[in-house]
Amino acid sequence: MRGSLLGRRTATRLRQVAISAVGSAKIKLLLCCCVVFALFATRTAPFMGWTDQTASINSFTGPRRGYALLINTWKRNDLLKQSISHYTSCRGLDSIRIVWSEPNLPSDNLVKFLTHVVQSKSRDGRQIELKFDIHKEDSLNNRFKEIKDLRTDAVLSIDDDIIFPCSTVEFAFSVWRTAPNAMVGWVPRMHWIDKSETFMQNGNSGRYIYGGWWSVWWTGTYSMVLSKAAFFHKKYLSLYTNEMPASIREYVAKNRNCEDIAMSFLVANATGAPSVWVKGKIFEIGSTGISSLGGHIERRSECVNRFVAAYGRMPLVSTSLKAVDSRNIWFW
């Protein structure tokens, strides 16, 4: 009996040792595979087309790697000072172009203040350019007049009363760099076809309705991002000025509205692709704008339909895509 019991104990121990050895071998094999894969990925990254995105995103010192801040303002010098004082701290900023359509030239005090701010933020060999683009005519089309001496391909169009943290701007810029032909921004809007019973009974078809933020929130869909806060390629300034249907520019100038929708139409018509909505915190430091006035949706809807007629089709593309910086959130 004792011999039989001893034999069973020995066999049990041998099985335990064998299982332990197999488990250890599996762990070592898994670790080896990880190491081999890491080496393979490193060696073959250039061949496979993989790049170090962190390095490319953070490198703004090369030619045309930064962006130009195109800021629209109208008799709100305090907001202009606050905005530029903030954005000059963003490390991707290459230049600042102020769209100036006021009847009087910028005051010496304003120019002196902004110049001092820019010079104080120009560090580590980075020289931020500051220019006023003076326009004799007061028109919303001035916002997208062609600028031939821009030093960068990327343009950040912004209103003077909107502030984004620099980290949010830099993330959106990195998104734009992956799709430089797209319009990348923080303020999505949408459109849809009017299928109401009253409208259809009148024998109408194909009329579009402009949808504000709550429409985007409810449906999770958008078809444009507004230029009050968006990145786009500088070539679209030339297209807006020289190649966009003249009837659209005339409508914008006459009605003092919808230049942002016009730019969304222009980009969508050129690319056949949707805009990209980027998640980010928005701080509005100014007073309430025209979007709060009565009849806003109706006027914007009229713009959409006028522009559709000018192009002969609806170029806007709807999407539910949203770019999110997953490094800063727990849940996507």
Side-chain angles (χ1 to χ4, degrees):
M1 289 292 292
R2 294 181 61 185
S4 176
L5 180 60
L6 182 60
R8 284 198 298 270
R9 289 179 176 174
T10 302
T12 301
R13 289 179 180 175
L14 289 174
R15 282 197 298 270
Q16 292 174 344
V17 171
I19 292 172
S20 177
V22 170
S24 178
K26 288 182 178 180
I27 293 174
K28 290 180 179 179
L29 179 60
L30 179 61
L31 290 174
C32 289
C33 289
C34 291
V35 172
V36 171
F37 178 77
L39 291 174
F40 173 79
T42 302
R43 297 288 181 86
T44 60
F47 175 76
M48 298 295 290
W50 301 341
T51 57
D52 184 351
Q53 292 298 322
T54 302
S56 62
I57 289 172
N58 293 336
S59 301
F60 296 123
T61 56
R64 300 193 304 176
R65 291 195 176 222
Y67 54 85
L69 182 71
L70 184 63
I71 187 164
N72 194 53
T73 188
W74 176 260
K75 295 186 177 181
R76 300 196 293 189
N77 289 352
D78 289 342
L79 297 183
L80 181 63
K81 291 177 180 179
Q82 189 174 344
S83 293
I84 289 183
S85 296
H86 167 71
Y87 287 112
T88 48
S89 299
C90 300
R91 56 199 176 92
L93 182 65
D94 177 83
S95 61
I96 300 170
R97 306 300 290 252
I98 301 172
V99 181
W100 191 269
S101 302
E102 297 183 23
N104 299 320
L105 294 175
S107 66
D108 292 339
N109 288 336
L110 177 62
V111 174
K112 183 178 180 180
F113 177 87
L114 295 180
T115 300
H116 172 73
V117 169
V118 168
Q119 291 177 348
S120 66
K121 298 294 181 68
S122 297
R123 301 170 181 170
D124 301 325
R126 183 184 65 148
Q127 298 296 323
I128 301 173
E129 179 185 51
L130 173 67
K131 285 188 177 182
F132 285 83
D133 291 312
I134 308 296
H135 301 280
K136 296 181 179 179
E137 180 187 5
D138 175 21
S139 170
L140 288 180
N141 290 314
N142 292 342
R143 179 169 201 156
F144 302 128
K145 281 281 184 72
E146 182 180 12
I147 304 176
K148 295 185 177 181
D149 61 342
L150 280 179
R151 304 192 302 190
T152 63
D153 289 337
V155 173
L156 172 57
S157 175
I158 205 86
D159 279 357
D160 60 4
D161 60 350
I162 292 181
I163 296 289
F164 291 98
C166 287
S167 59
T168 300
V169 175
E170 290 162 9
F171 173 68
F173 181 42
S174 72
V175 173
W176 178 84
R177 291 178 68 181
T178 66
N181 289 321
M183 200 165 175
V184 176
W186 294 271
V187 187
R189 295 293 184 264
M190 66 176 297
H191 75 280
W192 68 85
I193 298 178
D194 186 357
K195 295 183 179 180
S196 63
E197 183 177 352
T198 302
F199 184 77
M200 300 303 290
Q201 283 178 350
N202 294 330
N204 298 313
S205 62
R207 178 172 174 79
Y208 295 95
I209 297 178
Y210 172 86
W213 161 246
W214 290 111
S215 299
V216 175
W217 178 84
W218 181 256
T219 64
T221 303
Y222 65 97
S223 57
M224 63 189 102
V225 293
L226 300 186
S227 57
K228 64 188 295 182
F231 278 99
F232 55 78
H233 196 284
K234 67 178 181 181
K235 64 185 177 182
Y236 294 122
L237 298 177
S238 175
L239 292 177
Y240 188 101
T241 303
N242 304 310
E243 298 188 31
M244 188 177 71
S247 61
I248 295 180
R249 288 193 300 274
E250 292 168 1
Y251 186 88
V252 168
K254 180 180 179 180
N255 293 274
R256 297 191 62 80
N257 202 340
C258 300
E259 83 287 355
D260 49 358
I261 297 178
M263 178 56 84
S264 289
F265 266 71
L266 174 71
V267 176
N269 185 67
T271 63
S275 302
V276 181
W277 172 21
V278 178
K279 180 179 180 180
K281 293 182 179 180
I282 303 176
F283 300 94
E284 297 195 37
I285 58 177
S287 58
T288 305
I290 62 173
S291 61
S292 63
L293 301 177
H296 175 69
I297 294 298
E298 290 75 14
R299 286 190 292 271
R300 303 281 276 183
S301 296
E302 180 63 22
C303 291
V304 170
N305 287 280
R306 290 290 187 111
F307 299 167
V308 167
Y311 280 101
R313 66 185 186 92
M314 166 54 78
L316 297 177
V317 180
S318 298
T319 183
S320 57
L321 174 68
K322 184 178 182 180
V324 178
D325 190 349
S326 61
R327 297 170 299 177
N328 298 328
I329 60 174
W330 284 99
F331 299 102
W332 291 25

